[in-house]
Amino acid sequence: MKKKILLTLGGIIVVLVAAVGGYAWYMLHSVQSTAGKMYETAGGSGNHAAISEKKPISILMMGVDERANDRGRSDTLIVMTLNPKTKTMQMISIPRDTRTEIVGRGTMDKINAAYAYGGIKMAQDTVQQFIGGTKPDFYIKINMEGMSALVDAVGGVTVYNKLDWHDEGYYQKGYHYARGTITLDTGAKAMGYIRMRHLDPQGDFGRNQRQRDVINAIVKKMSGVSSISHFSDILSALGNNVKTNMNYDDMKNIALNYRDARQHSIDYEVKGQGRMINGIYYLVVGNAEKQRVKDMVEQQLTN
């Protein structure tokens, strides 16, 4: 089964910054057109006033693998906060197997099932309850194909690989992912790098870390985009694979007023204990850990 991948808001921000600084009106028009294609309100209209007033904001980011007649599951869930005052970006990853109540169904299940049952609205409500009641100001949803397309659009990315393994067939059976600094020169190769899980002693946790490393590498590569062809490919990848309740003005204001938030980055993954319950594997998160996550989110939004 394909693993689901997520593009963070950082990619969209960098594209917008590049547009403002690089190709003037032509690029601004292209960005505005792409923003319109991405815009939707399936999960609510969003807190536009918070961005206009330059307040700290929270964003729920979901990675899904949607296909014909199959909504898919949000197997990547990240709660991001951007604080322009403290110049901090915090990303909290919630593992897909996390056991929690699915809000709107009243059942206990894996948190990634919420999207399959009730779409963006149910996923947002479930995550909101899990993190202690803080409602995300916005959401960003990306289909898995977007990550591969973005790697191709920027001409490949470079990452530091902490493990040494031979691919089981996610990319090319037998391909050697050597330990150390490696170049993932195609989207397909990057997907193989991210999807591997069985050969990683950390399982999903290791996979999630590789995912975040590739995301950061894409954002870094985007900042150096200097050709119209690359820029157009990036916008095409975003427009075809991303949906969000941020409109063009929101993105423009984030690009202008929140870009320094990446100066200080906090990367955290929710911790728990793996357990078999009725023959199904879950990650059970204790009350102390839930309180820690709640405090982390609230601190970033109130400082």
Side-chain angles (χ1 to χ4, degrees), residues 219-271:
V219 172
K220 182 178 180 180
K221 193 72 176 286
M222 278 181 173
S223 65
V225 168
S226 58
S227 72
I228 291 178
S229 61
H230 277 308
F231 192 89
S232 297
D233 288 344
I234 291 169
L235 290 180
S236 177
L238 291 172
N240 291 331
N241 294 286
V242 176
K243 294 297 180 183
T244 178
N245 56 352
M246 289 184 182
N247 58 35
Y248 172 71
D249 286 337
D250 295 328
M251 295 181 190
K252 181 176 64 176
N253 287 331
I254 286 175
L256 295 173
N257 301 319
Y258 290 74
R259 56 187 172 185
D260 288 341
R262 294 192 71 245
Q263 289 187 16
H264 301 96
S265 181
I266 300 172
D267 189 0
Y268 187 78
E269 186 156 33
V270 174
K271 298 174 175 58

Side-chain angles (χ1 to χ4, degrees), residues 5 8 23 36 40-41 58 76 83 95 100 129 149 160 166 174 198 212 222 233 238 278:
I5 313 302
T8 70
Y23 302 114
E40 67 167 29
T41 57
S58 61
T76 299
N83 189 318
T100 191
Q129 177 170 281
Y160 183 80
H166 290 83
H198 300 116
R212 292 193 293 270
M222 278 181 173
D233 288 344
L238 291 172
N278 297 325

Side-chain angles (χ1 to χ4, degrees), residues 148-206:
S148 179
L150 275 169
V151 172
D152 285 332
V154 300
V157 296
T158 299
V159 297
Y160 183 80
N161 181 24
K162 298 178 182 178
L163 298 173
D164 189 287
W165 84 88
H166 290 83
D167 184 59
E168 297 177 294
Y170 291 111
Y171 164 56
Q172 185 180 99
K173 189 172 180 62
Y175 179 81
H176 185 205
Y177 285 97
R179 182 175 181 175
T181 300
I182 61 174
T183 297
L184 306 171
D185 53 6
T186 67
K189 189 180 293 184
M191 293 304 95
Y193 177 75
I194 291 173
R195 288 171 181 161
M196 188 277 282
R197 181 178 52 154
H198 300 116
L199 301 177
D200 191 328
Q202 292 186 296
D204 264 348
F205 292 98

Side-chain angles (χ1 to χ4, degrees), residues 4 11 16 19 28 31 39 43 68 72 78 89 92 95 105 112 123 146 187 202 207 216 265 274 278 290:
K4 286 67 177 176
L16 287 164
L28 284 174
V31 171
Y39 182 69
I78 297 177
M89 177 178 73
I92 299 178
R105 285 179 64 89
N112 69 340
Q202 292 186 296
R207 181 184 70 88
N216 287 329
S265 181
N278 297 325
K290 290 180 181 178

Side-chain angles (χ1 to χ4, degrees), residues 38-52:
M38 293 189 295
Y39 182 69
E40 67 167 29
T41 57
S45 60
N47 186 4
H48 307 288
I51 292 180
S52 298

